[in-house]
Amino acid sequence: MELLYEDLAKKNGSQLFHIEKDITTESIPNMQMELKEIFQQLAEDSSWVFEDLTQKDTSYATHGFHKYPAKFIPQLARRCIEENTNSNDVVCDPFMGCGTTLIESLISGRKAVGVDINPVAYLISKVKTTPINPKKLKIEMDKVLSDLNVYFESNNKQKTLSNVEILPRILTNERIDYWFPNKKLREDLSIILGRIDTIKDKDIRDFCLCAFSNILKNASIWLMKSIKPTRDLNKKIDSPMNLFSRQIKKMIRGNETYWNVLPTNVKSNLKNYLNLKKADARNLPAEDNSLSLIVTSPPYVTSYEYADLHQLTALWFGYTQSVGEFREGFIGSVHKKEFDHNGIKSKLAKQEIEDLGKKSKKEAEAVKNYFFEMQQCFEEMYRVLKPEGRACIVIGNTELRKVPMLNAEVFVEIMLNLGFKMHKIIKRRIPSKVLPQTRDSKTGRFSATSNSDRLAYAYEYILIMEKL
Ligand SMILES: C[S@@+](CC[C@H](N)C(=O)[O-])C[C@H]1O[C@@H](n2cnc3c(N)ncnc32)[C@H](O)[C@@H]1O
């Protein structure tokens, strides 16, 4: 019989639902079996599906500024925040990605702390959470766009309307030539970047860099919708100026909405409400026992290679010279050196690693690293949360080489062993995924065929764990 978590907790006599400070999880026999049963008996909670939302709803305000793989919907983050905190409490996302949790925290009058190892994520999150006075933005953007139009259309390249000198930012890197083989397109992009460099106001300059970053995939021969870097040699590419100008206009509208919905006290004192860093989730910029809530969706193992996916921006902005170097520190990557550790506090994880090891040693090693590194993140979450503070972890289960990866169950087991208790587990259907889908292992695109070795499920879990 399937039950919602509350009913399950009421009905079930298991100690797992009633862990108190003086009960250690080692004293609970068959904990792994019980955990598996809890997840198996759990019914979908339809109130968390948000089925009727349109793309317009989920990209309101600044949420639609930049594409980002595996971002969650703002309405989900908002509900976690509103149900678990009060105004002025501090909410943190240690894997902030493009900043969804942070925007929703600020709009609902909470303080926001966010980190991500990816400098591209930092830039996007900074721009999306920093409101700009719409009038000021409009004046500056009119100048930038008209200067660029004059530059591209006139023969006299030096004369622009606002009389600034545009020095194209030319980059020599073979990876840029690989993704942008058309020389004219590369030059146009260098000119746009050169004009952005002349903007004095840092927030407006970053706003433009975010717009520039978002058009790079469209302006290159990157195979769109592919989650693995793949070239599309027959791609029709619009001019960078058209792409940039459309992107800026869309972002101007989003900024105005954000400006209007942000509470005045947050807007006028943003420094006091927002703390963002490019940093590792294992080293959060927060004191012990200081945060009320964590709302996050962690990376998955061998799923998205965030460093690879953001390489165009990283190359253009000089964050790195090579993709290999850029991958350092990302959790969930398969590109890791082997190292030995046996400290994973989950028997379920150890069993999965052993089963996977029979099919692929390399992938088993990646999964081992992943669970160990996620455990370090949970330890850090425990450190920074206040007693009774909660962590909402959004995670789905997967399958690698036909071996089930019960990420949700493993995370709960690890967190229980670290001193969290289960507050609530929510099972939600992901409305865009109808059935378990397979991924084409070459491009990573979802496909209907069943001969793939990777599987993504139509459900995910929100694990709400509480620090004892
Ligand atoms: C699933 S995404 C988060 C998406 C986010 N919820 C949103 O709505 O945009 C996971 C993020 O974890 C980040 N990440 C990977 N390893 C990390 C680490 N060691 N420390 C911090 N962030 C990391 C990736 O860069 C990626 O942005």
Side-chain angles (χ1 to χ4, degrees), residues 44-224:
E44 169 194 328
D45 185 340
S46 57
S47 71
W48 284 88
V49 179
F50 303 105
E51 187 133 40
D52 298 330
L53 293 180
T54 61
Q55 209 207 341
K56 196 170 162 213
D57 299 327
T58 55
S59 59
Y60 86 101
T62 56
H63 286 294
F65 275 16
H66 202 290
K67 290 186 276 292
Y68 204 89
K71 61 174 158 185
F72 49 31
I73 53 170
Q75 288 76 10
L76 185 156
R78 172 72 77 97
R79 187 167 162 191
C80 288
I81 294 164
E82 287 183 345
E83 289 188 359
N84 294 289
T85 56
N86 298 311
S87 290
N88 286 316
D89 277 349
V90 190
V91 180
C92 167
D93 189 345
F95 301 104
M96 68 182 167
C98 65
T100 314
T101 297
L102 312 173
I103 297 163
E104 290 301 311
S105 301
L106 296 175
I107 292 178
S108 52
R110 274 68 165 173
K111 294 180 176 157
V113 176
V115 310
D116 201 291
I117 198 84
N118 181 356
V120 184
Y122 173 78
L123 171 73
I124 303 170
S125 292
K126 187 254 162 177
V127 170
K128 286 171 68 176
T129 48
T130 308
I132 304 177
N133 181 316
K135 284 196 191 111
K136 188 172 136 193
L137 182 65
K138 173 94 174 50
I139 292 170
E140 189 68 30
M141 291 329 305
D142 281 350
K143 280 198 253 165
V144 171
L145 293 180
S146 67
D147 281 356
L148 284 168
N149 277 323
V150 169
Y151 193 99
F152 284 122
E153 279 161 21
S154 82
N155 291 326
N156 182 354
K157 298 287 182 204
Q158 300 311 318
K159 268 254 165 288
T160 64
L161 284 186
S162 39
N163 224 358
V164 288
E165 193 185 356
I166 299 180
L167 297 171
R169 205 202 287 184
I170 296 169
L171 292 126
T172 42
N173 182 307
E174 60 181 34
R175 295 300 292 174
I176 290 189
D177 297 355
Y178 175 85
W179 289 111
F180 302 84
N182 182 320
K183 185 161 175 266
K184 166 84 172 69
L185 288 186
R186 279 202 309 272
E187 281 169 4
D188 284 7
L189 286 165
S190 311
I191 290 159
I192 295 172
L193 204 47
R195 177 60 181 89
I196 295 174
D197 285 341
T198 67
I199 301 170
K200 294 211 169 64
D201 183 302
K202 176 143 178 26
D203 288 343
I204 299 184
R205 197 163 66 240
D206 286 345
F207 181 90
C208 290
L209 289 175
C210 179
F212 184 87
S213 166
N214 195 46
I215 67 163
L216 283 175
K217 278 191 185 150
N218 281 313
S220 72
I221 59 166
W222 187 286
L223 176 65
M224 299 310 285

